[in-house]
């Protein structure tokens, strides 16, 4: 299953902006939905994991991409993005033993069954091309 292609621009939090070095404002950054395409809930991207609480901090948003909430290529900055601490999904891939890297109760396939379409295209392009690091 292919990965959702929704992106959103996540502005820096106000407290970070207020405490920034004068003349060096923090930049906004884009996040890409990590769920499978055609999911039926908010988009989601992991920001960081918190070992102490055994959960991840996720940004969730609506609109844009190939999820259930729109078909555009992205979304507007500040579009009701919210942060949420969510426990990890307990599923494990029987083939590899890898744990699912999504949150518990996620609305789509487990991440080990989701393929990033950009990486697929890169692999196809590079297939048969020698690695420059291997030398002549």
């Amino acid at each position: 299953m292919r990965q959702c292609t929704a992106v959103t621009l996540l502005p820096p939090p106000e407290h970070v902006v207020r405490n920034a070095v004068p003349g060096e404002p923090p930049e906004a950054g884009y996040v890409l939905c990590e769920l499978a395409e055609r999911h039926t809930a908010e988009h989601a991207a992991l920001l960081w994991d918190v070992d102490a609480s055994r959960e991840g901090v996720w940004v969730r948003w609506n609109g844009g991409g190939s999820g259930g909430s729109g078909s555009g290529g992205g979304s507007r900055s500040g579009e009701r993005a919210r942060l949420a601490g969510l426990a990890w999904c307990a599923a494990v891939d029987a083939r590899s033993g890898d744990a699912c890297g999504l949150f518990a109760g996620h609305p789509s396939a487990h991440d080990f069954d989701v393929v990033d379409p950009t990486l697929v295209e890169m692999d196809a392009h590079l297939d048969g091309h020698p690695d420059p690091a291997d030398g002549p």
Side-chain angles (χ1 to χ4, degrees), residues 3-41:
Q3 183 176 344
C4 179
T5 59
V7 295
T8 194
L9 186 61
L10 186 62
E14 286 300 317
H15 71 278
V16 172
V17 173
R18 282 192 309 271
N19 292 311
V21 174
E24 297 181 29
E27 296 181 21
Y30 286 97
V31 291
L32 172 66
C33 182
E34 298 181 37
L35 302 173
E37 66 183 352
R38 297 194 241 328
H39 59 84
T40 58

Side-chain angles (χ1 to χ4, degrees), residues 68-116:
S69 26
S71 59
S75 60
R76 295 179 300 278
S77 174
E79 185 179 64
R80 297 201 184 265
R82 65 183 179 85
L83 301 184
L86 301 171
W88 295 105
C89 177
V92 175
D93 185 354
R95 301 164 297 203
S96 67
D98 291 338
C100 178
L102 298 174
F103 53 90
H106 57 85
S108 63
H110 297 294
D111 78 336
F112 44 76
D113 291 325
V114 176
V115 178
D116 181 337

